[in-house]
Amino acid sequence: MSQKVLQPDGWPRPSGYANGIAASGTMVFVSGMIGWDQHQQLVSEEFVLQARQALQNIVDVLASGGAEPAHVVRLTWYVTDKAEYLAQRKALGAVYREIFGRHFPAMTAVQVAALMEDGAKVEIEATAVIPSRNV
């Protein structure tokens, strides 16, 4: 694997993300994905279901570039309601593990006033690094 979790000595280990990741290989950048399907229709008004679809959309884009969730080194979450995000942490964690497994890259989550698509409650962008193949 071409990734190394960066954990400063003496810092508590974060839950559900890494403080940093060092990686080498081919970089893949995934635009912000929201909870809509291949027909650009939101799958639900529910936050967790939108997040699940956004994560699945990321996995689908990664696959088209030869990458997989284990190659993700960074996720940035944009949410329209911090309180809803925090209230749904347990369900969100279950959905995350369903799609990404137990791979926890560096992550940032920020609350925004709104997203570009009406009704969207979460948008997630990803950066992945596909390991270089030894020839």
Side-chain angles (χ1 to χ4, degrees):
M1 181 59 79
S2 66
Q3 293 183 20
K4 178 183 175 186
V5 173
L6 305 177
Q7 178 64 29
D9 290 339
W11 284 28
R13 184 164 302 283
S15 177
Y17 66 95
N19 286 310
I21 301 281
S24 62
T26 301
M27 297 183 76
V28 177
F29 301 92
V30 180
S31 295
M33 295 287 135
I34 63 171
W36 64 15
D37 61 20
Q38 68 272 22
H39 305 292
Q40 298 184 338
Q41 300 295 315
L42 287 174
V43 297
S44 175
E45 293 181 9
E46 293 181 36
F47 176 80
V48 173
L49 294 178
Q50 285 192 20
R52 183 191 188 292
Q53 185 65 48
L55 291 167
Q56 185 60 56
N57 292 344
I58 289 170
V59 170
D60 293 347
V61 172
L62 290 171
S64 72
E68 55 192 52
H71 298 142
V72 173
V73 295
R74 182 173 184 78
L75 290 173
T76 303
W77 295 63
Y78 303 94
V79 300
T80 58
D81 187 338
K82 174 185 169 183
E84 185 174 26
Y85 173 87
L86 293 174
Q88 297 293 324
R89 280 184 300 197
K90 189 172 184 172
L92 190 56
V95 162
Y96 177 90
R97 288 186 303 278
E98 174 191 339
I99 306 293
F100 269 67
R102 298 205 54 82
H103 174 66
F104 303 108
M107 286 193 223
T108 300
V110 296
Q111 179 176 296
V112 296
L115 296 169
M116 296 305 290
E117 298 300 326
D118 291 336
K121 295 183 174 190
V122 59
E123 184 166 340
I124 309 167
E125 61 184 20
T127 303
V129 179
I130 303 171
S132 299
R133 305 278 190 252
N134 293 333
V135 181

